[in-house]
């Protein structure tokens, strides 16, 4: 089921057992920030991006290596070379996603990002090394920027798809089918928001981090909060701006976010995460955040 109807979605989601699949990934993949610079096309609808003068390619590369090193301590983490012609490629989860036995290629809104989907090495890794079946959405006309637009509760097979210029209703339906989800809720993001995963994270199927200012309809916030209560964390404006919502659980006991997000995380919210069974781990990513994304955006998950 894919719907905008909150009651219909909650009727299914509220009874969905955590037996859909593993709650967290078995491996992760990154793409190096080679050619790191302002992507002018992406800046058209990403208010989080800094001015060109704020981009520091050397520092971004160093921090990206630190990220891979940190993640490799908890799960296998591979990094593909970047491409100077695709400066946004360090955010691969928008372009490539996985589900059991298959990988999905998304359709990006901006031409500079559409080129990322043609990478033969990444496709070959999933197809020939892992033996995954391909679901290619990149050549159709509807934008569907995968797990940027679609936040997935992998344990229960639930999707939360925020609509914007980066994903329309038709694209949401294509992703719902590609990932084989039980139920997906479609809703509008607030004006100025470009991706759902900046304002919402579902952590190992048992907690949610929600940035209320990122949603156009307060009723959606209430529905998600009810679904993950008592482990639903409602971020303050400062936490939202610092990318606290762009976090991820890569195992059942640890949530990862940038160091800036960790500094902005309120003590009561850190305690809520602890109550849900999560330790907070951080990596300094201020140079990368100049490009309008943070830690979760850098991580492609392998299920």
């Amino acid at each position: 089921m894919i719907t905008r109807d909150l009651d219909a979605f909650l009727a299914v989601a509220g009874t969905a057992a955590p037996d859909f699949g593993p709650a967290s990934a078995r491996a992760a993949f990154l793409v190096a920030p080679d050619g790191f610079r302002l992507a002018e096309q992406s800046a058209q609808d990403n208010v989080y991006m800094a001015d060109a003068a704020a981009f520091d390619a050397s520092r971004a590369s160093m921090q990206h290596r630190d990220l891979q090193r940190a993640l490799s301590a908890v799960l296998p983490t591979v990094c593909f070379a970047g491409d100077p012609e695709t400066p946004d490629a360090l955010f691969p989860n928008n372009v490539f996603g996985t589900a059991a036995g298959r990988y999905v290629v998304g359709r990006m809104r901006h031409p500079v990002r559409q080129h990322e989907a043609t990478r033969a090495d990444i496709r070959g890794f999933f197809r020939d090394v892992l033996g995954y079946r391909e679901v290619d959405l990149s050549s159709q006309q509807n934008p569907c920027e995968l797990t940027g637009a679609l936040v997935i509760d992998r344990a229960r097979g639930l999707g939360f798809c925020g609509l914007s210029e980066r994903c329309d209703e038709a694209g949401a339906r294509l992703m719902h089918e590609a990932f084989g989800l039980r139920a997906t809720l479609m809703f509008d993001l607030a004006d100025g928001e470009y991706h759902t995963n900046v304002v919402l994270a579902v952590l190992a199927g048992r907690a949610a981090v929600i940035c209320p200012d990122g949603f156009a309809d307060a009723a959606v916030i209430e529905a998600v909060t009810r679904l993950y209560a008592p482990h639903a964390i409602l971020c303050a404006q400062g936490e939202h701006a610092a990318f606290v919502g762009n976090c991820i659980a890569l195992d059942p006991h640890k949530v990862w976010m940038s160091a800036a997000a960790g500094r902005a995380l309120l003590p009561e919210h850190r305690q809520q995460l602890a109550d849900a069974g999560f330790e907070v781990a951080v990596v300094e990513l201020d140079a990368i955040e100049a490009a309008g994304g943070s830690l979760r955006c850098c991580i492609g998950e392998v299920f």
Side-chain angles (χ1 to χ4, degrees), residues 44-270:
Q44 296 171 13
D45 60 349
N46 184 340
V47 300
Y48 297 90
M49 293 184 78
D51 295 334
F55 281 68
D56 184 336
S58 295
R59 184 169 172 79
S61 181
M62 177 189 70
Q63 291 181 345
H64 198 267
R65 287 291 294 153
D66 290 343
L67 175 63
Q68 184 182 8
R69 188 177 301 110
L71 299 183
S72 294
V74 297
L75 80 172
T77 305
V78 300
C79 184
F80 295 95
D83 178 352
E85 298 303 314
T86 57
D88 287 325
L90 77 161
F91 302 135
N93 75 304
N94 308 151
V95 186
F96 297 98
T98 66
R102 61 193 179 279
Y103 74 98
V104 184
V105 187
R107 196 273 190 180
M108 307 302 291
R109 180 192 178 208
H110 296 295
V112 69
R113 298 222 63 189
Q114 292 169 9
H115 183 64
E116 296 173 40
T118 66
R119 296 256 324 228
D121 57 341
I122 298 179
R123 287 178 182 246
F125 174 76
F126 288 118
R127 181 187 63 242
D128 302 328
V129 177
L130 297 185
Y132 283 9
R133 174 175 62 88
E134 180 183 88
V135 181
D136 191 352
L137 306 178
S138 65
S139 62
Q140 52 81 40
Q141 294 304 306
N142 302 100
C144 50
E145 299 199 354
L146 300 192
T147 55
L150 178 66
V151 170
I152 302 175
D153 180 335
R154 300 281 186 162
R156 293 191 278 182
L158 306 176
F160 302 88
C161 192
L163 305 181
S164 70
E165 292 177 317
R166 303 290 186 99
C167 181
D168 59 18
E169 284 199 14
R173 293 182 184 279
L174 289 169
M175 293 191 299
H176 170 79
E177 294 170 1
F179 285 102
L181 301 177
R182 284 171 170 160
T184 295
L185 176 67
M186 295 183 293
F187 51 89
D188 294 321
L189 294 176
D191 290 343
E193 296 293 347
Y194 75 109
H195 272 162
T196 314
N197 76 355
V198 178
V199 300
L200 174 66
V202 174
L203 306 175
R206 66 178 190 270
V209 177
I210 306 161
C211 297
D213 288 348
F215 295 76
D217 185 355
V220 176
I221 302 165
E222 295 169 5
V224 178
T225 300
R226 190 188 330 165
L227 190 59
Y228 291 96
H231 303 309
I233 296 163
L234 297 177
C235 292
Q237 289 182 341
E239 292 174 304
H240 179 174
F243 290 112
V244 170
N246 196 238
C247 59
I248 187 171
L250 292 171
D251 65 54
H253 307 296
K254 187 174 291 185
V255 56
W256 292 83
M257 62 182 68
S258 74
R263 290 188 288 268
L265 184 66
L266 295 174
E268 57 267 35
H269 292 161
R270 188 181 295 269

Side-chain angles (χ1 to χ4, degrees), residues 1 3 5-15 222-224 226-227:
M1 178 187 73
T3 183
D5 187 316
L6 291 171
D7 291 335
F9 175 77
L10 288 174
V12 175
T15 60
E222 295 169 5
V224 178
R226 190 188 330 165
L227 190 59

